[in-house]
Structure formats: structure tokens, C-alpha cells
């Protein structure tokens, strides 16, 4: 979750983080979805720590993609 009125600032903070491959604005329970890639579990953990340190980000939820079933 992103603090109200902080979405643009959060986007600016996430832009230089190279592990963030894509940032999507979504509707529903979440404000933004960041697609993060890392070479190892430790790399993913480090990237998530960096995201969580960004002011304006109030809460994160992490899901690891196991496979892609349909990719058009």
C-alpha cells in the first residue's frame, strides 16, 4: 500500500532500483504492483529490503511466480 498522495514520489524512488523491472498502477486492494527480478533468493531479499525502506510505502505483499501458464 502506498500512502495517500505519495504514488508519484514512490514511483520516482523506485525508478533507479534496477531490480524493479516493471511498475504497474492497479485498482483494488493494492495501489502499485512492482515486478522485481533477482538472480538469487538473497538478491530478492535485498531488493525487497530496498523497496521497504522507501518512504511512502506503507505495506508490501510478496508473491514468487512459479510458472507462466499463458503469456500472449
Amino acid at each position: 500500500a502506498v500512502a495517500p498522495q505519495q504514488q508519484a514520489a514512490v514511483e520516482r524512488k523506485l525508478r533507479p532500483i534496477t531490480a524493479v523491472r516493471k511498475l504497474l498502477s492497479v485498482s483494488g486492494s493494492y495501489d502499485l504492483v512492482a515486478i522485481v527480478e533477482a538472480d538469487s533468493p538473497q538478491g530478492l531479499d535485498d531488493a525487497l529490503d530496498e523497496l521497504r525502506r522507501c518512504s511512502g510505502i506503507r505495506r508490501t505483499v510478496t508473491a514468487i511466480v512459479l510458472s507462466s501458464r499463458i503469456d500472449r
Side-chain angles (χ1 to χ4, degrees):
V2 175
Q5 307 301 321
Q6 293 294 313
Q7 188 163 323
V10 167
E11 180 180 340
R12 283 191 302 276
K13 292 172 186 174
L14 296 184
R15 191 171 296 281
I17 300 173
T18 57
V20 176
R21 306 303 295 171
K22 189 179 286 192
L23 186 63
L24 308 169
S25 177
V26 298
S27 65
S29 300
Y30 307 104
D31 304 301
L32 298 170
V33 172
I35 306 300
V36 177
E37 290 183 5
D39 293 332
S40 66
Q42 183 62 54
L44 178 59
D45 192 39
D46 293 344
L48 293 174
D49 285 344
E50 191 170 2
L51 291 175
R52 292 177 182 131
R53 283 192 296 268
C54 290
S55 60
I57 296 178
R58 298 190 318 195
R59 180 174 48 92
T60 64
V61 175
T62 303
I64 296 174
V65 175
L66 300 176
S67 65
S68 178
R69 301 300 179 138
I70 296 174
D71 187 3
R72 297 186 179 150

